[in-house]
Amino acid sequence: MLTTAITISLVLVGAAVGLTLIRLALGPTMPDRILALDTLAIDAIALVVILGLLNATALSFEAALLLAIMGFVGTVALCKFLIGRSIID
Amino acid sequence: MIAEAIASLLIVTGAAFVLLGSIGLVRLPDIFTRLHGPTKATTLGVGAIVAASSVAAYAVNGDISLRELTIPLFLFITAPVSAHLIGKVALKDAAARRQN
Amino acid sequence: MSPRPDSFGRRLLPQPVLTLAIVALWMMLQSDAGGGTLLLGLALGLLIPIFTSVFWPSRLRVFRAGAAVRLVGIVLYDILVANIAVARVVLGNTRNIRPAFVDVPLDMDDAYVATILGSIITLTPGTLTIDIDMDRRIVHIHGLDVPDPAAVIADIKSRYETPLKEIFGC
Amino acid sequence: MEVLVSLSLGLLSACGIYLMLRPTTFSVVLGLTLLSYAVNALIFFGARLKSTAPPLTIDGLSGQTDPLPQALVLTAIVIGFGMTAYLMALALKGKAESGTDHVDAGRDP
Amino acid sequence: MMAHLPILPVLIPLCAAVALLLATGASIAFKRALSLLAIAALVAAAVAQLVMADDGGIRVYRLGDWPAPYGIVLMLDRLAALMVALTSLLAVPVLLAAMSGTDTRGRHFHAFLQFQLMGLNGAFLTGDLFNLFVFFEILLLASYGLLVHGGGLRRARAGIAYVVLNLSGSALFLIALGLLYGFLGTLNMVDFGVALQKVAPADQGVVAVMCVLLVSVFLLKAAVLPIGFWLPSVYSAATLPVAALFVIMTKVGVYALLRVVTIGLLAAPFTAGLLQPWLTWLALGTIAVGSAGMLAAGSLSVVIANIVIVSGGTLLLAVAEPSAASISAALYYLVQTTVVTGALFVFADHLSRQRGEAADGFGDGPRLASYTNLGLAYLVLAVAACGAPPLSGFLGKIMMMQAMQPSLHPVLVWTALVLSGFVAALVLARAASVFFWEPGAPGIEERPDVPYRPAWGATAAIVIMLIAVLTVSFAAAPVSAYARAAAEQMLARDAYVSAVIGDPARIDRELRP
Amino acid sequence: MPRRVAAQTAVQHGMSNISLFLILLAPFAGIFAVSVAAGFSRSLGAWAAGASMAAGLVAALQLAPQVFSGSVVLWRVAWLPEWGLDFALRLDGLGLLFVVLILGIGLLIVLYAAYYMPQTDNLGRFYIALLGFAGGMLGIVLAENILLMVVFWEVTSLTSFLLIAYKYADVEARIAARLSLAMTGGGGLALLAGALLLGHVAGSYDFSVIEDRAGLVRDNALYPVILILFLLGAFTKSAQFPFHVWLPHAMAAPTPVSAYLHSATMVKAGVFLLARMYPILAGTELWFVIVSTTGAITFLYGAYIALLKHDLKGLLAYSTISHLGLITLLFGLDTPLAAIAGVFHIINHAIFKASLFMAAGIIDHETGTRDMRRMAGLFKAMPRTAILGILAAASMAGVPLLNGFLSKEMFFTATVAHPGFENAIYLLPAFATIAGMLSVAYSVRFVHDVFFDGPVKKTPKVPHEPPVWMRLPIEVLVGLVLIVGFLPQLSVGPILHTAAEAVLPGPVPDIKLAVWHGFNLPLVMTIMAFGLGILQFSRRHKLYALRDRFAFALTSPVAFERFYRAAARLSTALLAFADTQSLQRYLALFFSFAVIAGVWAWVRIDLTGGGATVLTGPLPILAVDATAVVAAATLVFAALGTVVFRHDRLKALIYMSVAGTVVSLAFLRFHAPDLAMTQLSVEVVTILLLLMCLRYLPERSARQSTTGRRMRDGLLATAAGTGVAALTYAMLTRPYETIAAYHMANAKPLGGGTNVVNVILVDFRGYDTLGEIAVLAMAALGLHALLSGTRMQGPGGPTLASADRYPIMLAELMRPLLPLSLAVAAYIFLRGHNLPGGGFIAGLVAAVALVLQYVAQGTDFAGERLRINTVRLLGIGLGIATLTGVASFVFGYPFLTSTHGYVTPPVIDKFELASAIAFDLGVFLVVIGTVLLALTELAGLRRAEDVAVPAKGDA
Ligand code: NA
Ligand code: NA
């Protein structure tokens, strides 16, 4: 049952990634792309956790946590850049 | 068995929410409306998936692992900040567009 | 705004709430409540705040723990509701929605608490904090579908701002 | 799968090399980064695709992946990071000195 | 401590660099003293190594006490000891010359110098190919720091070209190493040779490609045609004491080639002849390009840089057709050319300080103050550099000519060796004419108000270099005998196998997947 | 490789014949003596120079009896025995003859120069170069080892370069010096090649040995090559046509130099070589044809031009060329008599030519000009000098009773007796007569135009006799002209005989050196030469007119400079074509090189047989799953997006980060959590860095490449990418044997960790990791060195309100997030040894958390609070890691040997502590230091706009 659920969810998340990539490509504005990138990171977390379930390993947790942290940092940096072209001032 | 069922339900629901966020991202008309999708749906979706992982781990080992919950916790803390920042950029962007 | 000289105790335990949070986080991460974990967590909980207190000199004080728990419940519930509402909008006819910007006036002047409010607004139905202006004491929000801005403002103030003011005593 | 992986790495390196051949320092950095993705993956796949578990010696794991390529890649990533940081600084210095970020600006004729 | 001798040439500069980082706010005098002390210790260690290695043994130092091929080992043989000694000795005049003011023209000079030495020595001592990559990166990054030391657009742009090109080289190096491990399952140099012998015929094509890619990386460092054009602008952009140190950098490429060829490629028939047909041509082309570069040069440093290119090409001749004779000739040639070109850069530094704006260019400049001494020094160095008798360049040339006699294209090789020296002689004679004989341009004929007083360090640097040149020339026999012994040792692969990995059959190998 | 064959002399002769070495040592020791003495006074320098020459002469004379008794004196010291080069000397008759000439005339030159050279000139430099030159000459004539001879050969090239350029203020002197270096040095290179080949063929580089194997050499297929190379050396040095051009220009040297170089030494080195190689290389048709033809042409040509020169030294220069042609011709004739005549003429020419040059110098010195048209009747002004000059010139012309007559007579005899021209028996004598006629003509001209030709003309200086000491050397030489002329057998007979013994391979024919041989054909030829010569002289003006019509451009030394510059220009043009100094070109070349080399190796394996070019290995192919397809599609999308949007930099960066994320997910998918985490965190920090740099770079880059260039690059990139794909595929489909089982087995028991990757990083290959953090530290340090104090101006955006600068929610949230992130970092750090994690990732997490404080609240806020000296932090980190490694020395283990064990402190459960953790702590600190240093330094760039930070002398 779980395996089926995992397969279904993989398909769903895969579709989500595809849609997000469309937004990334279409834009039209830079904030749209950043939002898409941020979403992509979260999608990736979902993917990692699901794959962890699939492989029955607890070892993907750190990677997922790191994805969350680094995705956030990336978004912050990109936004700060667009607000004032300066990340640290 | 029940745990596995719960996990299955959670994971599919979560994945659905993740997809929902991305559908919003594509379908909604402008950046401010699009912001709503990922900040809410996707974050919650991940929360559900992680919860599924916890439950599944319980189903397998019998251990309650709270470790995974740190991920949605972190996301719930940071998502508003991300949205806030992207919103600010969008405001600035919109202002710049109006000027031109 | 350099950190002002503090008593020995304050320097040793600058943020008790934070110390607790770190210990909790540590135990969550280790998925373990054994003595060793606790001890190491405590050590980190004591050491890290001493190091980071330079960035956060003011002590965070929680006045009403009960109110806090209640607010968390409200927010979690709202998050669920929010998602269903968002799902309806996203999957429905996106042309009929009425997005709008709304300025919510604030009744407090603590930026930290305002940030918590802003976060809650973002996580809950149809609203999104775009900016917080502490000079003008307003929260600039965006609503996904806002037929009545006044209702939104009232909702936010009653559901979230009031409990927050109660919790943090401001 | 092997074909898919190979083609992906080939594409990544081709894009990286193409970018490295562009005339601005920024493109070069982008290209180097893409190329290093490909290179790191290539080293990593020296352990082949068929493996069932991470290289940990915890009980219950069996058929672990060859750990050595992973260690090599880790070293390569870190070194690549240092190099990229330095190259960017150098690019800035060049920009500060010459006013342009063309890779060949201001060199001896 | 003798047991740890092999690691000391890496450890001493590392410790010095750490100390310099910790003492980041200290006075320049303190840093200089520290740097000098460290290099003195390094020289002592290097000499001790040289003596130790000359008994013909191959010392294997297991880092972390892990046996080869599983862990990283250092391999102290005659070749490694020679290269380390050369580097360490070169460091002394470089430091002394830099202490005359170059080191204060930017930040962290001494730390970079120490890191550079650590990288070089590490590269020469390691017996592991991936570790060689790591130490290549160390020495490269340090060289980047040293190259741009002093600032300015020219250095920045030369730096960008140098860095990007080397990063491309590193990428290729990694690809080759990835394939090496992927095909042969090992990283140890000696084990690499052992594994090559066992490659099945069906795999020989891909393995040969991997080997050639590996070689290409080293050829880039050795500045061979057509991938060596980067060198002149880089060397001439660096401050001159730094350029003096850089002359060892192309030799790293040659060293790596010699190592990989003798310990690896020669082990198996299908790789043994992989370089010979084309490397000779490239080497000849390199010599030609370097000679043209000398003729076209507008300053002494560019001339020296092109001499470095020519010497690289000359050394590659031996790599292309390795034999005890060619390698031993090449090793002597390597030692002498490193010393001589290094000395020339130190000299050019001295010269440009005196000539002010004119620096080391062939344009009008003021007459020189310490005419006789400088002239004499120049005479010695120029004679050695163009391969004229009786100095080391000539000796190196006759060795190379004799050793390359049985090569595929002896006439071309000889012609190249002879003509490149001839061109160098013409160019250096013209340089002498400009620096020492031509009257200064109108307006700058007068000496500057403050007479030039060379710092003691600068003078000491030149004197040391001159002594080195004369020693290599007139005490050529021991150097040459050492070189021959080193060459013979390098070609006796079995000794390396038994010293480093013992019985190859006993290595714990597992077929995957 | 040829090895030394005759090693026997090293010890036996070494001690007993040290005098041989002393001859050679004398001038070189003189260099030091002069450099000291000249510092005191000018004359002391001259004394020192003279004394050293004399000392050498004494040493030589001391050995003379041994030589005359027929033995060859040897002396040897090993120099580079392995390669055939030894410091081996020999003294035979030929050598002794030359030693006496070199040192004897050298002594006279030293004396002459002391008076000739301007008093303002200290002469230290002059004598040093002169002694060096004399030493070089001695080396040539004393060398037993032919490589050693080459050594000294080039020593003379070099020192003559210095001597010719002695008056370096004259541009002509400078160029002439370089020209002579180019020609004689270049010839020396040919000689070197010849010597090496000869040594190779003969199996030894020792003359004595080679001489014994002369037949072997002449029969070898390489003989023509060897011969031509040797002759190139000889002809360039002895100014044979067409290599003579350097010699006339060398007249730019002070006259003492000319007198020395062009009488007894430099040019004689060439003919000495002919003499020396005579027993080895002569005796073949080839030798005869080349050497005699060259000599004959030079003989005639030199004499002809000499007649046309108005410059006194020019006349002597071409006459020198002519006489050298004569000597060459004599050796070329290849008969014993001719060879002896050649040796004899070497002596005679040296004597009269040295005196003529010195006389010319006196004339120049006293009149201030060397143009024969500007002087006349000097006989009256300086009769003594005139008599000396006339006698020397007469000897040059071959007037009987003077030494020149004797050798010329021998030459005529040799031509008459030569067997080589049976069919044209008069050809050679006729030629000899014509050449003799020309030398008579220019000798007469010299005497006539200078000493007679009417009354004294007005010259720049008023001519009178020179000081006595200045004339003395000429008197000595002219004395010798007469002595040899009158008493040949008594004076030079013995030495000529011994020299001939050394030159001739067979027995020396018995020649009577006598003034009168009876009325024979040679005498008729002499008389004809004189008659025709005087006739020729009287009609010289027609020749001048002819010369003026066909003036050679090449006669100017500027021609050489022009030639040199043309070569330089050509090189510049060629290099400009090959090397555009463009990084793009360098990169394209490098990648092309790798591709071509790879393809070549691939093709070659098939061609050479044995191996085979098989791409696909035997492993079964793994099925593709949906996730992989999505990932690959995303990767393609991201990689192409990066390329397509490279001009829109921010967009390109976003695409690139997507690619990086996919790669890290791939790592995770294939069981490399450590890798995935590292890749992820590094990527984010890289993007942070790039974004900070983007502020100072143009937002968009211009399209600068042409379509053709893009096509080319596209093709190259495709080729390289195809290569990577093919190799990856080949690798993935092959099984391999790995050593990793050892690591898996020993990670836990010996390394103390269950995460094998981490154990490899901090233990099995901890040395790599130490190097890796050194790289990181250096990168940060380099960035610091580059950017500290640098001012940058970005495309200035609007000044931001504080709320925009530090968005409030971010600022407020970062405060609690920092300690929590540090806790996460601690978690990752401690976990590393056993599970995914470790110092590096932990360091990045901690660093990022700290950097976020800067991002959220600015440098002023964060920098003031976080008072870390990042450079020192790098030192601490690197120091800890190093110390961990060194600590194992204490226990007698190699560097970086780890130890581990379980500590069980109270309350805490079993806690495993490996020394590798200390190492990892070093890594952790270096990472934090690097990231903080890099980012704060980049942030500081803008601040430099406002605050000018003076660059401190902080190195
Ligand atoms: Na006259
Ligand atoms: Na780790």
Side-chain angles (χ1 to χ4, degrees), chain A residues 58-59 61-62, chain B residues 67, chain F residues 826-838:
Chain A
L59 297 171
F61 159 71
E62 284 85 359
Chain B
R67 180 188 295 149
Chain F
Y827 166 75
I828 291 175
F829 178 83
L830 288 175
R831 199 172 148 81
H833 210 49
N834 291 318
L835 288 162

Side-chain angles (χ1 to χ4, degrees), chain A residues 25 62 70 80 85 87 89, chain F residues 695 805 827 831 858-859:
Chain A
E62 284 85 359
M70 295 302 166
K80 270 284 275 186
R85 291 193 65 82
I87 297 171
D89 52 7
Chain F
R695 170 167 166 56
R805 236 172 163 173
Y827 166 75
R831 199 172 148 81
T859 334

Side-chain angles (χ1 to χ4, degrees), chain D residues 74, chain F residues 673-675 677-678 755 757-759 761-762 828-829 831-841 920:
Chain D
L74 282 172
Chain F
D674 284 287
L675 230 55
M677 288 159 78
T678 309
N755 181 355
V757 175
N758 189 275
V759 176
L761 278 181
V762 298
I828 291 175
F829 178 83
R831 199 172 148 81
H833 210 49
N834 291 318
L835 288 162
F840 186 79
I841 304 167
D920 227 10

Side-chain angles (χ1 to χ4, degrees), chain F residues 182-520:
Chain F
M183 298 212 65
T184 63
L189 291 171
L191 177 61
L192 168 64
L196 285 171
L197 274 185
L198 178 60
H200 174 72
V201 167
S204 169
Y205 291 98
D206 286 352
F207 259 120
S208 320
V209 181
I210 300 173
E211 220 175 332
D212 290 344
R213 301 177 186 170
L216 201 80
V217 172
R218 286 194 290 263
D219 292 340
N220 194 287
L222 282 172
Y223 167 76
V225 181
I226 295 172
L227 177 66
I228 287 169
L229 289 170
F230 266 90
L231 290 181
L232 273 173
F235 290 170
T236 49
K237 206 80 166 178
S238 61
Q240 296 298 296
F241 186 89
F243 308 110
H244 66 282
V245 285
W246 66 266
L247 193 145
H249 301 314
M251 294 301 133
T255 298
V257 171
S258 309
Y260 196 43
L261 264 56
H262 305 138
S263 65
T265 53
M266 176 92 156
V267 292
K268 290 291 165 61
V271 287
F272 167 82
L273 185 65
L274 290 181
R276 182 56 101 203
M277 299 318 291
Y278 191 84
I280 300 164
L281 297 177
T284 63
E285 186 75 16
L286 199 60
W287 167 281
F288 171 69
V289 171
I290 299 178
V291 179
S292 63
T293 312
T294 311
I297 294 174
T298 311
F299 184 20
L300 204 61
Y301 171 82
Y304 172 69
I305 301 289
L307 186 55
L308 301 180
K309 283 285 159 187
H310 299 307
D311 178 34
L312 207 49
K313 282 179 77 177
L315 183 150
L316 293 177
Y318 278 96
S319 112
T320 303
I321 292 171
S322 173
H323 281 272
L324 289 164
L326 168 59
I327 299 168
T328 304
L329 172 60
L330 283 167
F331 285 109
L333 291 177
D334 206 3
T335 61
L337 180 64
I340 293 170
V343 175
F344 193 22
H345 200 64
I346 287 174
I347 306 173
N348 293 331
H349 175 256
I351 293 171
F352 67 67
K353 193 50 67 64
S355 55
L356 276 171
F357 267 112
M358 286 195 251
I362 288 175
I363 292 161
D364 182 11
H365 203 257
E366 299 302 326
T367 63
T369 179
R370 289 182 347 207
D371 190 333
M372 284 184 287
R373 287 166 302 183
R374 296 182 62 186
M375 59 183 73
L378 286 182
F379 192 88
K380 280 174 196 141
M382 37 174 84
R384 282 164 176 270
T385 308
I387 289 170
L388 294 172
I390 291 166
L391 281 170
S395 172
M396 174 161 77
V399 172
L401 291 179
L402 301 174
N403 66 345
F405 165 74
L406 295 170
S407 44
K408 195 170 279 185
E409 195 80 343
M410 274 173 88
F411 161 56
F412 287 161
T413 312
T415 60
V416 171
H418 198 272
F421 290 91
E422 289 122 343
N423 301 329
I425 196 151
Y426 293 110
L427 192 68
L428 204 49
F431 168 82
T433 314
I434 292 170
M437 164 197 91
L438 285 170
S439 42
V440 169
Y442 65 69
S443 303
V444 171
R445 183 185 173 206
F446 172 77
V447 172
H448 172 267
D449 283 15
V450 173
F451 298 118
F452 305 103
D453 197 17
V456 179
K457 283 187 185 169
K458 195 169 176 244
T459 48
K461 284 190 199 166
V462 180
H464 53 77
E465 285 285 0
V468 178
W469 292 105
M470 189 167 174
R471 217 174 46 218
L472 180 69
I474 312 181
E475 286 165 356
V476 171
L477 289 169
V478 171
L480 284 172
V481 164
L482 292 167
I483 292 169
V484 176
F486 278 98
L487 303 166
Q489 185 61 38
L490 214 63
S491 53
V492 293
I495 192 152
L496 188 59
H497 185 82
T498 4
E501 273 180 336
V503 172
L504 295 175
V508 178
D510 195 30
I511 325 154
K512 287 207 83 147
L513 290 178
V515 178
W516 181 248
H517 285 102
F519 193 84
N520 51 13

